[in-house]
Amino acid sequence: MDDAISDCLMAFQDFLYALQVQFCYNEFLNACRELYLTLSAEKGGNTTPRLEGVESAKFLEGITALIANSTYHHPSIRVIHRVLSKSQKASFYTYLLGIANSDTINSSLGVLPKKSQCLDNENKSVKSE
């Protein structure tokens, strides 16, 4: 995640959710990063394709294969599809933000409250069991 977010300002709330996703899906996200780099290298090998993004359909196809052939803890393929179907091209950064900002993923992990409740003035603690 550090490569995708280097030199980028981020709200604390977004940081919390990104950290949660990175912690829970680290191996899966590393494999996705390798897949993304492979797809971007196929486009031309320089840094421009990595910044512009890769075809969302190819990225989703590769991620689906990753999930089918691995034992990684990963988010629902439906959520990944929803994240990647928003545009024809996806950068790795936008993919990560989509995953981190997904209420479905956050509620399935069950650690942090909904984003809308995260900064309420009430004294709520993070779920610890």
Side-chain angles (χ1 to χ4, degrees):
M1 211 172 209
D2 14 311
D3 288 345
I5 303 177
S6 62
D7 299 328
C8 183
L9 293 177
M10 178 182 273
F12 181 70
Q13 180 181 5
D14 292 335
F15 170 76
L16 282 177
Y17 288 93
L19 181 64
Q20 171 185 248
V21 167
Q22 178 71 27
F23 182 76
C24 294
Y25 301 128
N26 188 46
E27 288 179 300
F28 172 72
L29 293 175
N30 285 335
C32 288
R33 180 180 177 273
E34 293 302 316
L35 172 65
Y36 182 86
L37 292 174
T38 300
L39 291 174
S40 65
E42 290 173 2
K43 282 182 63 175
N46 60 22
T47 57
T48 304
R50 284 195 314 202
L51 298 175
E52 291 176 357
V54 298
E55 289 182 43
S56 296
K58 283 189 177 185
F59 195 29
L60 179 61
E61 184 180 303
I63 290 172
T64 303
L66 273 176
I67 290 171
N69 298 317
S70 71
T71 58
Y72 301 128
H73 184 62
H74 58 82
S76 162
I77 192 66
R78 285 187 211 129
V79 174
I80 295 170
H81 182 271
R82 217 175 305 138
V83 167
L84 291 175
S85 66
K86 290 182 180 178
S87 66
Q88 289 185 335
K89 288 190 175 192
S91 70
F92 193 65
Y93 176 74
T94 57
Y95 168 68
L96 290 176
L97 282 181
I99 296 295
N101 289 324
S102 168
D103 286 333
T104 304
I105 291 174
N106 291 321
S107 65
S108 71
L109 293 173
V111 177
L112 296 174
K114 290 183 179 180
K115 277 191 157 192
S116 61
Q117 299 170 343
C118 188
L119 297 177
D120 282 350
N121 288 335
E122 296 178 27
N123 188 10
K124 295 180 183 178
S125 63
V126 174
K127 184 178 179 180
S128 62
E129 294 178 27

